[in-house]
Amino acid sequence: MATDYDAPRKQDEELKEDSLEQLKAGRSEQQSGSVDEDEVEAAEGFELPGADLSNIELSVNVIPAQDDEFTCSQCFLVHHRSQLAYEENGLLVCAECAA
């Protein structure tokens, strides 16, 4: 933002008046009678583009952790053993969380 250093500066009295006006304006904004909109009601009217997927069930095949994998005790993601940074009190930590 450019500043004009040649422009006349405001006096202390003008600054006090300006700040008083700003405080009065802020007070009227805080005391406004507006009510926050309920998030649930707002989401009901919002429609995502594309087909209606509300009646479709997802099916995912869950594979248990393999012998060469571990679950990080900090981020709870499953990583390959090559990503193991350290083990402390039986808790395994991946290289990303250790960094």
Side-chain angles (χ1 to χ4, degrees):
M1 183 172 158
T3 304
D4 184 10
Y5 292 104
D6 296 328
R9 296 184 181 174
K10 292 185 178 183
Q11 300 297 327
D12 289 338
E13 293 176 10
E14 292 175 346
L15 291 173
K16 289 179 183 176
E17 290 175 9
D18 289 346
S19 63
L20 181 60
E21 291 172 6
Q22 291 173 353
L23 288 173
K24 287 180 181 177
R27 180 178 289 171
S28 64
E29 290 174 5
Q30 290 176 353
Q31 295 176 352
S32 66
S34 65
V35 177
D36 291 336
E37 185 177 3
D38 187 21
E39 294 176 4
V40 175
E41 291 178 9
E44 288 176 356
F46 186 73
E47 228 177 279
L48 293 174
D52 179 21
L53 303 175
S54 61
N55 58 353
I56 296 177
E57 292 183 21
L58 297 176
S59 60
V60 178
N61 294 333
V62 178
I63 301 171
Q66 304 297 311
D67 292 335
D68 61 344
E69 295 176 333
F70 72 98
T71 302
C72 178
S73 62
Q74 292 185 5
C75 66
F76 303 106
L77 294 176
V78 176
H79 296 280
H80 188 266
R81 282 277 177 196
S82 63
Q83 295 294 314
L84 180 62
Y86 63 88
E87 178 180 354
E88 185 175 307
N89 298 331
L91 300 175
L92 304 173
V93 178
C94 70
E96 293 178 13
C97 292

